Amino acid sequence: MPSPLSAQVIVWALLLAWLAVCVIFDLRSRQVPAFLTVIPLILAAIWRLSQGGWQLVVLVALLVLISDLPQAKWRIPIACAVTILSLSIAGSPGIVYAMLVVFAVWALWEIGASGGADAKIIITLVLFFSNGLLFIPIVLVGGIQGLVGLIPRRKTIPYTVAIALGMVAWLWMVNYPR
């Protein structure tokens, strides 16, 4: 039977390989196929439910349903109300932050400020780890990536690169804090 540490390393390697595949698709075609984002999102939701994190899964499911409302002008206000109600059942500060990150990422996608694949990848990671703090290094790497994009005659870099590098940074920070 593998030790918990080796099982953890295997899971991280699979997550990083998944992110690498997403980055490759995004770099080549500026699109990540739906099966590379939807299936991991569903698996992360199942994982979170098996770990007792139903509150976060319920919020994600409700936001998905809200995305399909016919009246676009009501999506953000309804999602705000649902998120506030969800925060009241969060149970811990860590889940509160994870919910806020999920809402923020969903809202950025809803208003067109980010792509759907980027949103699903980040929400998948938040669901899997139940830790919104992983969003911090993703945003920091994304900011650096944005600054590089300001250099004249540089092609823009897909945000999946920032997600993958931010995830690597977060895993390193969590496991090697000093």
Side-chain angles (χ1 to χ4, degrees):
M1 183 166 172
S3 71
L5 180 61
S6 65
Q8 186 178 39
V9 169
I10 291 169
V11 169
W12 291 345
L14 289 172
L15 277 172
L16 294 174
W18 165 63
L19 287 173
V21 170
C22 290
V23 166
I24 290 167
F25 272 98
D26 211 6
L27 287 171
R28 286 186 178 170
S29 66
R30 297 293 188 169
Q31 291 186 344
V32 179
F35 76 88
L36 279 176
T37 58
V38 174
I39 292 171
L41 180 64
I42 292 168
L43 292 174
I46 292 168
W47 168 255
R48 185 55 34 222
L49 283 173
S50 76
Q51 300 300 306
W54 62 273
Q55 303 97 326
L56 193 55
V57 175
V58 167
L59 176 62
V60 170
L62 289 172
L63 291 174
V64 167
L65 291 173
I66 291 168
S67 293
D68 290 334
L69 289 176
Q71 297 259 331
K73 68 180 180 181
W74 291 104
R75 290 179 191 157
I76 296 287
I78 292 171
C80 286
V82 164
T83 301
I84 290 168
L85 288 173
S86 297
L87 292 172
S88 69
I89 61 165
S92 74
I95 297 297
V96 166
Y97 188 64
M99 286 179 165
L100 291 172
V101 167
V102 165
F103 171 74
V105 168
W106 175 86
L108 288 170
W109 167 75
E110 183 66 37
I111 65 171
S114 79
D118 299 333
K120 286 181 275 188
I121 291 168
I122 293 170
I123 291 170
T124 298
L125 294 171
V126 172
L127 273 172
F128 186 80
F129 289 104
S130 189
N131 191 330
L133 292 176
L134 66 87
F135 193 55
I136 294 171
I138 291 171
V139 170
L140 292 173
V141 172
I144 293 167
Q145 182 176 304
L147 290 174
V148 169
L150 292 175
I151 298 171
R153 298 190 185 132
R154 299 292 272 180
K155 289 175 31 176
T156 59
I157 303 167
Y159 203 71
T160 53
V161 173
I163 296 169
L165 293 175
M167 185 66 201
V168 169
W170 182 76
L171 287 172
W172 182 78
M173 289 186 308
V174 167
N175 292 291
Y176 304 103
R178 293 184 185 237

